[in-house]
Every structure is written in C-alpha cells, then in structure tokens.
C-alpha cells in the first residue's frame, strides 16, 4: 500500500482538483494531514467531532465501501479506509452539500443544534458558500478515492450514515483546541521557512513548502489567478520581514521586494505563477547570503559555513582551521579582524539565533533546545542566551508564545 508521504500527495491532489478539503486521520481521529481549503475556524470546531463516528462506521466495512456521512448541520463527507505500515487510516473529503439548504432550513438546523448566537452568523455564511455536488458527481469522486487508495479498480459501493446527536457544549473546547492546532502548524512552518531563508539556506526553505499545503483561492471566488497573485505578494512581504530581522539594509530589501511584486503582477500564466514561490525563496536567500558574507575573505566565509553546519556539535578552533586549511592562530586573528567577533562569540550568536527559532516554534523543551544548539549544560545555555538577548530562554519563549 502507500507510504505516508504518498498519502499526503493524494490528499493534496484530490483537494486541488475537486475543490473540497481532504484529510488523512488515524484510528483515534487525529488528523495526520489536512489539505486546507476552507479557513472557517467556527465551522471546523462544529464538524471535526464527527471523525470518530465516521471511523466507527467504516471499521467493519468491505474494502469497496465509501461512506457518505451527513452531519447535524446538513453537510456531507466522503470517507474510505486504508492502511499504512499495517495501521488503519481514513481518507475523508468534505464538507459539501448534495442540495441547496434554504434559509428556513438553515435557521431550523441552527436552532435544533442550539448553536450559540456568537457562532450563528459564521455558520450561516459557511453553509451558503459550501460546494454543492449532485449524486452523480460525488459518486464519481467516491470511485476516484477508492481507486486511488486501493490501487485497484473497484466499483464503489456507497453506504450512508447520519450523525448521532452531538452535545456541542461538551465537545466545543476540544474542537477549538484542534482547530487552532491547524492554524498554529501553518505559522510554525512559516517561521521555519523564514529562518532558513534569512540564513541563506534556500534549498532547505523550499523543502518546507511541501510539508503543509494552504490554498487561499477561497478568498477571491471565481478568480484563481488573482488569488494566487495575492498569496505570493503576501509571501514576498513575509520574506522581506525575515531578512529585515537579520539586518539586511532597507534599500536592498526595498529594491528586491518591489521588483518581485512587479514580477508577480506581470505574470499572466498559471505555470509561471506556480513557480513564483521557489523564485522568491531563491532571490531572498541569495540576498541573505550576500549580507552574511559581505566583505569577508574566502577563509572567513568558509569558517562561518563550517560553524553553521556543526552548531549542534562541539566546535574547536583547530577543527575549523584544519577543515579550511589555515593556521589556527592566523584564523583566530583574521576572524576577529573581519567580523568584529571572536570565533567563540560568533558560535554563541549563531547558536542563540537557532535557539530563538526553536523557542518560538514551541515544539521542544528548553533543555532539548539547549542540546540541539550545542550546549551541554542548561545553566551555561541560559547564561549565554541572556548575554545575547537580555532575557532567559524561558522568558523569551513566554514572550513569543502564540
């Protein structure tokens, strides 16, 4: 069967081609991947609790079965089971509607489910903009899902299931937390990408783009080219901010940002606009590299590159000198002359920058961050961090907690 990365591609491809969201969830209902098309957090918290009911309905189903599940709000989902490394997973597509829901029925649904007043407007709007698929259309999608997942030609057997009654007051706190986890993931990935670009590592930054997919076409209905241009104009701004933070001159940033914005607007084909993400990363990474190595000799540039590649390890002057083929004492003097820092000070500053990125992501404990950044003692890490930033790692993490 599939490996996980292949299933991520399946979710992404199905979502982009069909125009509804696809998610891959495990047997506990936890999303492993989500092709995010809709961004309505309110809708998400009211629909995500149905995953457990979908999984239960599919647990004993035959391999040619695709479930058509209708929730309490009248939205529908298609779901099919699969396995990865002998573990069960479920591909779920939706929400969509199979018929237009009148305003009268919308009001009835809202009242029957006792939706709080503060959420009602958002759910009304979500229902109005939901994709409508007739029986023939969603049956065809079900067949495609089954053929792709099973890697075999099955004639899909549709089975139907309705949601059981849901206590929204009980479910809501968990669903709010889960919905914001998706949003947090977007910003964690964005911060990682900004860090790699600001360090001049464009290749690693480009790899980050494929891990989580966000489609903003819903913001400009009926004009996908305008939606994509807006997305890359925003990305252009994000990368400009990333380089501004590491001290790239405003003039250089203005020139690059302005040129890239003009280029984005001048693009008139889908193929060209789709390649714009990598183009932006390449151009900003090149500028970052020039900034970091401006006025440095080859020896010092190579020494800095060695340090950046070994931040999590012990770094000795003799090892750097041996790697680049110079005398250690000469390297030490030359490094301070050109950079204004000793090698130890430079190593500390680079490690602290890496630590700041990890602390902002909030994915590791402070002890784990210290180890990942090459510090063997937590107290020493805290002391160096405070010397470079004016605060402790814990204080910094609290200041930047989302």
């Amino acid at each position: 069967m599939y490996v996980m990365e292949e299933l991520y591609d399946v979710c992404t491809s199905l979502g982009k081609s069909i125009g509804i969201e696809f998610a891959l969830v495990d047997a506990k209902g936890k999303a492993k991947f989500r092709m995010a098309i809709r961004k309505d957090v309110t809708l998400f918290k009211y629909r995500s609790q149905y995953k457990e009911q979908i999984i239960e309905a599919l647990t004993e189903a035959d391999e040619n079965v695709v479930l058509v599940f209708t929730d309490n709000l009248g939205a529908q989902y298609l779901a099919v089971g699969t396995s990865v490394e002998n573990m069960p997973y479920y591909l779920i597509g939706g929400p969509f509607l199979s018929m237009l829901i009148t305003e009268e029925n919308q009001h009835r649904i809202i009242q029957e489910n006792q939706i709080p007043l503060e959420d009602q407007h958002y759910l009304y709007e979500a229902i109005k903009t939901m994709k409508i698929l007739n029986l023939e259309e969603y049956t065809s999608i079900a067949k495609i899902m089954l053929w792709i997942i099973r890697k075999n030609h099955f004639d899909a057997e549709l089975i139907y299931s309705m949601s059981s009654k849901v206590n929204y007051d009980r479910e809501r706190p968990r669903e709010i937390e889960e919905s914001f986890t998706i949003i947090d993931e977007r910003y964690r990935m964005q911060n990682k990408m900004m860090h790699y670009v600001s360090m001049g590592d464009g290749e690693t930054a480009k790899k980050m783009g494929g891990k989580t997919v966000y489609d903003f076409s819903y913001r400009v209905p009926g004009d996908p080219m305008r939606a994509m241009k807006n997305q890359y104009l925003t990305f252009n701004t994000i990368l400009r901010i990333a380089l501004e933070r590491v001290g790239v001159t405003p003039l250089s940033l203005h020139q690059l940002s302005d040129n890239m914005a003009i280029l984005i607007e001048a693009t008139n084909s889908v193929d060209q606009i789709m390649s714009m993400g990598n183009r932006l990363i390449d151009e900003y990474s090149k500028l970052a590299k020039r900034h970091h190595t401006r006025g440095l000799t080859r020896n010092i540039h190579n020494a800095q590159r060695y340090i950046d590649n070994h931040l999590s390890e012990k770094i000795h002057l003799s090892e750097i000198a041996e790697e680049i083929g110079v005398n250690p004492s000469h390297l030490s003097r030359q490094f301070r002359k050109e950079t204004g820092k000793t090698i130890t000070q430079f190593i500390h500053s680079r490690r602290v920058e890496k630590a700041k990125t990890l602390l902002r992501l909030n994915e590791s404990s402070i002890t784990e961050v210290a180890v990942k950044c090459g510090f063997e003692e937590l107290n020493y890490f805290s002391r160096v961090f405070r010397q470079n930033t004016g605060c402790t790692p814990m204080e910094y993490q609290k200041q930047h907690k989302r």
Side-chain angles (χ1 to χ4, degrees):
M1 297 302 291
Y2 286 96
V3 297
M4 194 63 72
E5 291 295 330
E6 290 176 324
L7 282 173
Y8 293 167
D9 287 340
V10 168
C11 290
T12 301
S13 299
L14 284 171
K16 284 186 175 292
S17 60
I18 296 170
I20 62 175
E21 181 175 302
F22 281 85
L24 183 70
V25 304
D26 63 18
K28 295 181 179 179
K30 183 176 180 180
K32 305 297 290 184
F33 182 86
R34 177 174 168 230
M35 168 60 196
I37 292 180
R38 303 186 66 94
K39 304 298 184 298
D40 2 35
V41 172
T42 305
L43 176 63
F44 183 79
K45 76 180 182 184
Y46 282 104
R47 64 185 172 85
S48 60
Q49 71 269 11
Y50 298 119
K51 289 182 293 193
E52 288 84 353
Q53 297 178 31
I54 290 172
I55 291 169
E56 182 179 357
L58 281 173
T59 300
E60 302 298 330
D62 293 336
E63 61 178 358
N64 65 327
V65 160
V66 178
L67 176 70
V68 184
F69 183 85
T70 305
D71 69 20
N72 288 339
L73 302 179
Q76 292 185 295
Y77 304 82
L78 296 172
V80 61
T82 185
S83 64
V84 181
E85 298 176 355
N86 297 320
M87 298 294 291
Y89 288 90
Y90 302 88
L91 179 64
I92 302 175
F96 63 90
L97 300 175
S98 59
M99 65 179 67
L100 182 66
I101 300 179
T102 64
E103 289 190 10
E104 181 181 350
N105 283 335
Q106 290 178 32
H107 181 72
R108 177 183 56 77
I109 289 170
I110 296 293
Q111 296 305 314
E112 284 181 355
N113 288 280
Q114 299 180 333
I115 303 299
L117 184 62
E118 65 268 19
D119 289 342
Q120 290 182 14
H121 170 73
Y122 298 104
L123 288 177
Y124 279 129
E125 294 303 312
I127 291 171
K128 287 178 183 177
T129 59
M130 213 172 285
K131 194 177 185 74
I132 299 176
L133 301 173
N134 61 36
L135 175 61
E136 184 179 352
E137 288 172 329
Y138 72 71
T139 300
S140 297
I141 295 170
K143 289 181 179 180
I144 292 170
M145 290 172 63
L146 194 63
W147 295 342
I148 291 174
I149 285 295
R150 299 298 184 199
K151 293 187 175 181
N152 203 343
H153 190 291
F154 282 111
D155 189 10
E157 176 190 346
L158 299 184
I159 62 172
Y160 291 80
S161 176
M162 296 285 292
S163 170
S164 57
K165 186 68 176 178
V166 174
N167 184 337
Y168 287 114
D169 288 332
R170 179 178 62 82
E171 296 287 349
R172 191 171 299 114
R174 176 191 164 194
E175 302 314 322
I176 292 174
E177 180 180 351
E178 186 171 344
S179 66
F180 281 107
T181 297
I182 299 294
I183 296 172
D184 286 343
E185 175 64 14
R186 171 188 164 197
Y187 284 100
R188 280 196 294 269
M189 299 299 293
Q190 176 179 295
N191 284 335
K192 285 183 180 180
M193 185 178 293
M194 290 172 70
H195 168 72
Y196 287 119
V197 171
S198 69
M199 292 296 103
D201 187 356
E203 292 307 310
T204 302
K206 282 188 280 191
K207 292 177 184 176
M208 306 302 300
K211 291 189 175 181
T212 305
V213 179
Y214 294 93
D215 182 355
F216 294 96
S217 59
Y218 72 98
R219 292 179 177 174
V220 191
D223 193 348
M225 179 63 78
R226 181 68 264 165
M228 286 189 286
K229 286 185 177 182
N230 290 349
Q231 180 178 347
Y232 287 117
L233 287 170
T234 301
F235 191 39
N236 185 35
T237 301
I238 288 171
L239 296 181
R240 180 185 60 75
I241 292 170
L243 267 64
E244 184 180 7
R245 289 177 179 174
V246 295
V248 176
T249 62
L251 178 59
S252 298
L253 284 173
H254 171 75
Q255 289 174 333
L256 177 57
S257 177
D258 206 39
N259 287 339
M260 296 310 296
I262 292 171
L263 183 62
I264 291 167
E265 287 295 353
T267 301
N268 54 20
S269 77
V270 173
D271 288 343
Q272 289 177 337
I273 199 69
M274 290 296 287
S275 65
M276 192 56 66
N278 285 346
R279 174 73 181 274
L280 286 164
I281 290 174
D282 287 337
E283 294 298 330
Y284 278 95
S285 296
K286 289 176 185 176
L287 180 58
K289 281 184 179 179
R290 290 197 297 270
H291 167 73
H292 291 307
T293 61
R294 186 177 61 245
L296 301 180
T297 62
R298 181 180 296 275
N299 283 341
I300 303 307
H301 170 66
N302 288 339
Q304 289 186 347
R305 184 168 59 183
Y306 178 89
I307 290 168
D308 286 337
N309 290 336
H310 296 81
L311 283 178
S312 61
E313 309 165 19
K314 287 185 178 180
I315 303 176
H316 300 287
L317 172 62
S318 58
E319 293 174 346
I320 303 173
E322 182 180 354
E323 175 71 19
I324 64 178
V326 298
N327 178 274
S329 298
H330 173 71
L331 174 60
S332 181
R333 290 192 299 270
Q334 187 182 8
F335 195 98
R336 183 160 193 167
K337 180 181 178 180
E338 293 188 25
T339 68
K341 296 179 180 180
T342 66
I343 287 181
T344 299
Q345 288 172 335
F346 180 80
I347 293 172
H348 284 167
S349 67
R350 280 290 208 259
R351 283 176 168 163
V352 167
E353 285 302 314
K354 180 178 180 180
K356 286 163 65 177
T357 299
L358 295 174
L359 291 169
R360 286 196 300 270
L361 296 175
N362 202 27
E363 295 176 343
S364 306
S365 68
I366 292 175
T367 301
E368 290 171 333
V369 170
V371 172
K372 289 177 181 179
C373 296
F375 292 96
E376 295 183 344
E377 296 180 5
L378 185 58
N379 288 338
Y380 184 55
F381 168 54
S382 297
R383 186 163 67 250
V384 171
F385 193 93
R386 180 188 283 274
Q387 289 171 351
N388 280 264
T389 65
C391 63
T392 66
M394 184 176 293
E395 291 169 342
Y396 183 88
Q397 192 174 52
K398 287 181 179 178
Q399 292 169 6
H400 294 81
K401 187 174 182 180
R402 293 192 180 278

